[in-house]
Amino acid sequence: MFQQLLNGFLVCANPIVLLQIAIGVGWGIIGGAIPGISPSIAIVLALPFTYHMEPSTAIILLGGVYTGACYGSSIPAILIGTPGAPASAATVDDGYILGKKGLGLEALGVSLLVGVAGGLIGTLILCVFVIPLGKIALSFGAPEYFAVSVLGLTIVASVGGGSMIKSVISVIIGLAVATIGLDTFSGVPRFTMGIAVLSDGIDDVSAMIGLFAV
């Protein structure tokens, strides 16, 4: 593993690769700062520019776009109270308050430092546990996915604060929105009201960002 990490650092030491990283991070910050353009969409928009690159260089560029977008999404969360991506939803709680107090630059700096530290620590942990976690993921079947789904629904009660009714209503609304679109097994349209666009369902990211904006 250490040899692979060393090879990766050697590839990144190339000045051209460093320039591409800077470009990728710059575009990621711009894309993440625009509400509605999530890190995944920023990567998709940058993908055509990687067709003629070396595979390793293209992956590094797209990685820079992703990390830049993750930080960029905290900019509107702190300045206007609307996260650029769902990952920055928690940033609104404290960051927007600091922004209204005139401490927006300090909040952005803290977000950057914490993001870099978390990214580095998370990457090291991933390098150590990626193989064991991969084996566990491959062993997942229908019962395990059902159990994870039930866990996700029940854990809402613990994060919903003191109001159980609000938590239950939120879960019901989320399940109702998720049923819109074509049925996975039968292909029958559900709650589309004859609108062709709703056949694909409602995008989770768009729904969450719209809800936070409201």
Side-chain angles (χ1 to χ4, degrees), residues 22 115-116 176:
V116 172

Side-chain angles (χ1 to χ4, degrees), residues 9 24 35 58 134 197:
F9 282 118
V197 178

Side-chain angles (χ1 to χ4, degrees), residues 39-154:
S40 58
I41 297 178
I43 289 177
V44 170
L45 294 175
L47 192 61
F49 298 97
T50 64
Y51 289 158
H52 301 290
M53 295 181 181
E54 293 291 331
S56 58
T57 306
I59 292 175
I60 292 173
L61 173 64
L62 296 178
V65 173
Y66 179 81
T67 54
C70 289
Y71 167 69
S73 63
S74 66
I75 296 177
I78 294 173
L79 298 182
I80 62 176
T82 301
S88 297
T91 309
V92 178
D93 295 336
D94 298 324
Y96 184 54
I97 296 176
L98 292 175
K100 291 194 297 184
K101 293 181 178 179
L103 301 175
L105 291 178
E106 288 79 358
L108 290 172
V110 171
S111 175
L112 176 61
L113 292 177
V114 172
V116 172
L120 292 175
I121 295 173
T123 301
L124 293 176
I125 294 175
L126 178 63
C127 291
V128 174
F129 293 102
V130 63
I131 296 179
L133 290 177
K135 294 179 180 179
I136 296 175
L138 292 175
S139 65
F140 264 48
E144 289 79 10
Y145 282 112
F146 176 76
V148 172
S149 301
V150 173
L151 175 64
L153 294 176
T154 55

Side-chain angles (χ1 to χ4, degrees), residues 13-53:
N14 189 319
I16 297 178
V17 175
L18 291 175
L19 177 61
Q20 292 174 338
I21 292 175
I23 294 174
V25 172
W27 158 240
I29 293 175
I30 295 174
I34 301 175
I37 301 183
S38 61
S40 58
I41 297 178
I43 289 177
V44 170
L45 294 175
L47 192 61
F49 298 97
T50 64
Y51 289 158
H52 301 290
M53 295 181 181

